[in-house]
Amino acid sequence: MEYLVDDDDSQPPLAGKLAHALALLSGRMSQEKINSLTHAIFREDLLTPELYMMHFLFEAMVKINKLEEVEHLIIKYWKPILDRGCQTIWEMGVHQQGKSAINNYGSLCHAFSLAPVNFLQRHILGLIPSKEGFPKFTFNLQLGKLSWLKGSLETPT
């Protein structure tokens, strides 16, 4: 389960950040609930999703214009993988790491853990297809606090 239970029985269980992110992404919340959900996804006492589910947290943060916080999470959780010289991205890197995760069955090459690639391409480099397959695309660079970023995109000819 993805929630933390408070010792005080009068309080309901507190859901993890993923549930709050999904609720934000639903688009069906009042402004009061949006404010509450926004606060919740930054709480340190709530469970942070593993790498393979971080995409939803990133998208919720983009929706509330918190791009720098996404960059912080990328550095916090994906940089250690790169620093170890790994050429692939792990399934787990938040609560358990790499191969040692899931009783030594952790995936070391997990496509669902590539949320930073999607985020950097769409929200920092600003490359968004205007037509399926990228024959046309929009480009809206948003470097934020980054001093540089390099990217390339192969398009059909």
Side-chain angles (χ1 to χ4, degrees):
M1 292 185 138
E2 189 184 315
Y3 64 85
L4 303 174
V5 178
D6 195 332
D7 289 338
D8 179 3
D9 288 334
S10 67
Q11 294 291 326
L14 300 173
K17 294 177 184 184
L18 180 59
H20 290 86
L22 292 171
L24 264 172
L25 291 171
S26 76
R28 298 189 165 267
M29 300 292 159
S30 67
Q31 189 58 51
E32 181 181 337
K33 293 236 186 224
I34 289 170
N35 294 340
S36 177
L37 294 167
T38 297
H39 174 73
I41 64 174
F42 295 103
R43 284 179 47 177
E44 290 299 319
D45 63 325
L46 296 184
L47 189 62
T48 299
E50 268 297 347
L51 300 180
Y52 65 92
M53 293 300 283
M54 199 72 80
H55 165 78
F56 300 105
L57 188 58
F58 285 8
E59 289 300 309
M61 289 179 169
V62 166
K63 186 173 184 165
I64 59 172
N65 201 28
K66 300 290 185 181
L67 299 182
E68 288 182 23
E69 285 80 355
V70 176
E71 293 170 13
H72 170 75
L73 291 174
I74 291 171
I75 291 166
K76 181 176 182 176
Y77 294 118
W78 278 267
K79 187 176 182 300
I81 298 171
L82 300 175
D83 288 346
R84 289 177 118 171
C86 295
Q87 296 180 4
T88 58
I89 299 298
W90 308 337
E91 175 180 18
M92 311 282 272
V94 177
H95 306 286
Q96 300 179 21
Q97 281 74 41
K99 180 70 174 159
S100 64
I102 317 169
N103 294 318
N104 292 320
Y105 288 103
S107 169
L108 297 180
C109 186
H110 205 76
F112 288 157
S113 296
L114 292 173
V117 174
N118 179 56
F119 171 77
L120 291 169
Q121 176 180 297
R122 289 179 55 221
H123 302 293
I124 303 301
L125 283 176
L127 295 172
I128 301 172
S130 301
K131 288 190 167 188
E132 190 173 315
F134 273 96
K136 291 185 177 185
F137 59 90
T138 61
F139 176 69
N140 183 21
L141 187 63
Q142 300 290 322
L143 282 179
K145 288 189 174 183
L146 298 174
S147 58
W148 67 273
L149 187 65
K150 180 179 177 182
S152 64
L153 174 67
E154 289 189 33
T155 60
T157 55

